[in-house]
Amino acid sequence: MSSGKLIGVGVGPGNPDLLTLKAANILKEVPVICSPRSAESRPSLALSIVKFILESRDDEYEVLDPVFPMIEDEEALHIYWEEAARQVKERLQQGLDVAFITLGDPTVYSTFSYLEKKIRSTGFEVETIPGITSFTGCAASAHITLGEKDEIIVIVPKVDERLTPILEHADTAVIMKTSRHSKELQDIVGKDPRRKEIISVQNCGMSDEKIVKGFSRDKKYLSTTIIKFKDQ
Amino acid sequence: MSSGKLIGVGVGPGNPDLLTLKAANILKEVPVICSPRSAESRPSLALSIVKFILESRDDEYEVLDPVFPMIEDEEALHIYWEEAARQVKERLQQGLDVAFITLGDPTVYSTFSYLEKKIRSTGFEVETIPGITSFTGCAASAHITLGEKDEIIVIVPKVDERLTPILEHADTAVIMKTSRHSKELQDIVGKDPRRKEIISVQNCGMSDEKIVKGFSRDKKYLSTTIIKFKDQ
C-alpha cells in the first residue's frame, strides 16, 4: 500500500466563495481533514469556511482538530506540534491523504509551514494549494491597489524595530493582525513625513466585515491594515 | 434601466483550477468579458485560463480584447486606456456588467487599477474579486514558505536603487518578472552577506512550469524569483 499525501489547502480569508476550484475539489474527496484550533473551546475558523462542502458529502471522512495554542513558548508549542504530526503521520501511513486547511494561504504566516517540515522530513509527499491571502482580500474589499508600476509592497506580521527603516522604502505596507499593536504602529507611521492613506479591514470576507479609516484597535477582530504612502 | 457594474476578476497565475468559485460563477453568467492583450498578434493569457468556463456556456456573451501595449510612454498608453474605458463604459451604460479578467490578483501590479480609476470616477459601480497571486502560486510550487513568525516579506516589481536598502531589512523578497533584469538582481543580492535560498519559477501554474535554483535568465518565460535570507 502506498502512503498518503499531506495537502496544505489555503481556504482564503473568510468568504467560502473565495475557495479555489482545486481546494473545493480536494475537500469533496479527501478522506481526512486536519483543521487546527487555537483552544479546545474555540471552533476552527478554517473549518467553518469549508463546512458547506463537507456537509454536501455523502461519504465518510474524518476531521482531526488538534489544538495549536497561540503562545510564544517554542518548547511548549513543540509538544502540540509533535502530537499533531503524529496524528497526521498515522493517517498517511494508512495510505490516506490528509488535507490540512488553513486561513488565507499556506505559505503566508500559516501554521502549515511547521507541520509541512515535520512531515516532509519523514519522507512523505507534501503538496501545497495556494489560497487567497487576507491582504489581497482586504485590498479588494477596501478598493485599494496594493501595487502599481514600480511600487514596492512590504508585508509585516509584527510591529518591531525594523518597521521604521523598512517603511522608509516602501510604497505600500500591509500590517497583519494590527489590533494587537495599533498604538505602536500609529506612533511609527505618524513619524513618516509622506502623505498616507490608511485603511483597516476587520474580519475580511466574513459576514461582519468592516472597513475603517486609520488603524483598527478593536481586538475582537482579525484585522489587517493597508498603508499607501504618497510622495506628496 | 440601471447601469452595469465593472468587476475586476483575478484569474490566478495560470492553472484554471486556481480560479475561485466566485470568479468561476461570475464568468458563467456575465454578459461581457474584457480581456486585454499586449499586442494584436498575441492572444490574452487570462482569456486562455478561463476558456473552459466560457466554452461551457450556452448563452451569448461578448469578449472585448483591447490592446494595452507594454510600453513606458505614459501619454501613448493613455490613448489605449481611453479607448478601453470607452468600450467598457458603453456596455455599462447599456446595463451590462463587464468582467475585466486579469492574471493573478487585480490589486497586485494589474492593468485593472488604471481602468478601475477611470470607471469609478465616472460614477459606475466597481467590484473586485481577488485572485491567487503569482508569488503565492510560485511559493506553493517551489515548496517555499513566504513568511513565518516575525518575517518581513517584500514584493518588488522592478530592480532599482531602492532594492539594496529594502533587502537589508527583509527576510523574504519576491522579485516579479525577474528575467528582465536578472543580471542587476544577481549583483545586488550577491552583495548581501546573509545565507540565501534563491528559487525562480517560470510560467507558474502552467503546463510548462519550471522551477530553477537561482535567478531565471530566460526571457521567454513569466518568471518570479523568491529569495529567502537566513541569519546564518
Side-chain angles (χ1 to χ4, degrees):
Chain A
M1 185 183 62
S2 64
S3 296
K5 164 168 83 167
L6 172 64
I7 314 167
V9 178
V11 300
N15 181 340
D17 277 355
L18 293 181
L19 273 171
T20 62
L21 301 177
K22 195 163 185 179
N25 288 335
I26 287 169
L27 294 168
K28 277 176 202 159
E29 293 191 340
V30 74
V32 185
I33 293 105
C34 180
S35 173
R37 288 172 298 162
S38 56
E40 288 281 355
S41 59
R42 286 205 183 177
S44 151
L45 198 50
L47 195 61
S48 70
I49 294 172
V50 306
K51 203 176 157 197
F52 76 106
I53 298 179
L54 300 182
E55 284 180 348
S56 74
R57 287 177 64 161
D58 47 22
D59 59 345
E60 277 191 34
Y61 58 88
E62 183 188 19
V63 175
L64 298 175
D65 53 358
V67 172
F68 291 162
M70 302 254 196
I71 53 177
E72 301 270 324
D73 180 345
E74 295 267 337
E75 256 180 74
L77 260 180
H78 191 72
I79 296 166
Y80 290 97
W81 282 108
E82 283 296 333
E83 172 54 22
R86 189 194 62 75
Q87 290 182 25
V88 168
K89 270 190 243 173
E90 203 173 87
R91 274 57 177 190
L92 299 177
Q93 272 155 357
Q94 291 164 14
L96 302 172
D97 288 348
V98 178
F100 183 98
I101 55 174
T102 182
L103 268 184
D105 179 275
T107 72
V108 178
Y109 310 116
S110 161
T111 45
F112 180 63
S113 55
Y114 303 86
L115 188 68
E116 182 188 17
K117 278 175 214 156
K118 279 199 186 301
I119 297 295
R120 194 191 296 282
S121 69
T122 47
F124 292 103
E125 191 187 344
V126 179
E127 188 183 351
T128 305
I129 313 300
I132 300 293
T133 59
S134 61
F135 51 87
T136 56
C138 290
S141 291
H143 294 297
I144 275 194
T145 299
L146 287 173
E148 277 177 58
K149 295 179 190 163
D150 304 348
E151 289 178 355
I152 294 177
I153 306 170
V154 307
I155 300 158
V156 179
K158 195 181 171 184
V159 174
D160 65 22
E161 71 288 351
R162 292 191 296 171
L163 192 59
T164 302
I166 203 143
L167 287 190
E168 209 178 297
H169 304 285
D171 299 297
T172 307
V174 175
I175 320 282
M176 315 283 281
K177 299 182 183 161
T178 28
S179 54
R180 290 190 193 174
H181 33 230
S182 65
K183 176 72 180 65
E184 301 90 306
L185 186 59
Q186 201 160 7
D187 289 348
I188 293 170
V189 174
K191 285 177 190 146
D192 194 299
R194 289 173 291 175
R195 194 162 66 79
K196 297 144 214 136
E197 184 182 358
I198 303 170
I199 294 274
S200 296
V201 183
Q202 298 172 338
N203 287 1
C204 179
M206 298 175 203
S207 56
D208 58 347
E209 175 183 276
K210 202 173 156 193
I211 296 163
V212 296
K213 283 201 172 190
F215 299 101
S216 171
R217 292 179 173 215
D218 199 326
K219 293 191 183 166
K220 265 192 316 204
Y221 301 104
L222 280 171
S223 54
T224 302
T225 296
I226 301 171
I227 308 168
K228 298 274 295 178
F229 294 97
K230 325 252 176 183
D231 277 335
Q232 42 170 335
Chain B
M1 187 183 61
S2 63
S3 296
K5 162 168 85 167
L6 172 64
I7 314 168
V9 178
V11 302
N15 181 341
D17 277 355
L18 293 182
L19 274 170
T20 62
L21 302 176
K22 195 164 184 177
N25 288 335
I26 287 169
L27 294 167
K28 276 176 202 160
E29 293 191 340
V30 75
V32 185
I33 293 105
C34 180
S35 173
R37 289 172 298 161
S38 56
E40 288 281 356
S41 59
R42 286 207 183 175
S44 151
L45 197 50
L47 196 60
S48 71
I49 294 172
V50 305
K51 203 176 157 197
F52 76 106
I53 297 179
L54 300 181
E55 283 180 349
S56 74
R57 287 178 64 159
D58 48 20
D59 59 344
E60 278 191 34
Y61 59 88
E62 183 188 19
V63 175
L64 299 175
D65 54 358
V67 172
F68 293 162
M70 302 254 196
I71 54 176
E72 301 268 324
D73 179 345
E74 295 267 338
E75 256 180 73
L77 259 180
H78 191 72
I79 296 165
Y80 289 97
W81 281 109
E82 283 295 332
E83 174 53 21
R86 190 195 62 73
Q87 289 182 26
V88 168
K89 270 190 241 172
E90 204 174 89
R91 275 53 174 195
L92 299 177
Q93 273 154 358
Q94 290 164 16
L96 302 172
D97 289 347
V98 178
F100 183 98
I101 56 175
T102 182
L103 267 184
D105 180 275
T107 72
V108 178
Y109 310 116
S110 161
T111 45
F112 180 63
S113 56
Y114 303 88
L115 188 69
E116 182 188 16
K117 278 176 213 155
K118 279 199 187 299
I119 297 295
R120 194 191 297 280
S121 69
T122 47
F124 292 104
E125 191 188 343
V126 179
E127 188 182 350
T128 306
I129 313 299
I132 301 292
T133 59
S134 61
F135 51 86
T136 54
C138 291
S141 290
H143 294 298
I144 276 194
T145 300
L146 287 173
E148 277 177 57
K149 295 181 191 161
D150 302 349
E151 289 179 354
I152 294 177
I153 306 169
V154 307
I155 300 157
V156 179
K158 196 183 170 182
V159 174
D160 65 20
E161 71 288 351
R162 291 191 297 170
L163 193 59
T164 302
I166 203 143
L167 287 190
E168 208 178 298
H169 304 286
D171 300 297
T172 307
V174 175
I175 319 283
M176 314 283 281
K177 298 180 183 161
T178 27
S179 55
R180 291 190 193 173
H181 34 231
S182 64
K183 176 73 180 67
E184 302 90 306
L185 186 59
Q186 201 160 8
D187 289 348
I188 292 171
V189 174
K191 285 176 192 150
D192 194 298
R194 289 174 290 176
R195 195 161 67 79
K196 298 144 214 138
E197 182 182 0
I198 304 170
I199 294 276
S200 296
V201 183
Q202 297 173 340
N203 287 359
C204 180
M206 298 176 204
S207 55
D208 58 347
E209 174 184 278
K210 202 174 156 193
I211 296 163
V212 296
K213 283 201 172 189
F215 299 102
S216 171
R217 292 178 173 215
D218 198 327
K219 293 190 185 171
K220 266 191 317 202
Y221 301 104
L222 281 172
S223 54
T224 302
T225 296
I226 301 171
I227 309 168
K228 297 274 297 178
F229 294 98
K230 326 249 176 184
D231 278 334
Q232 42 169 340

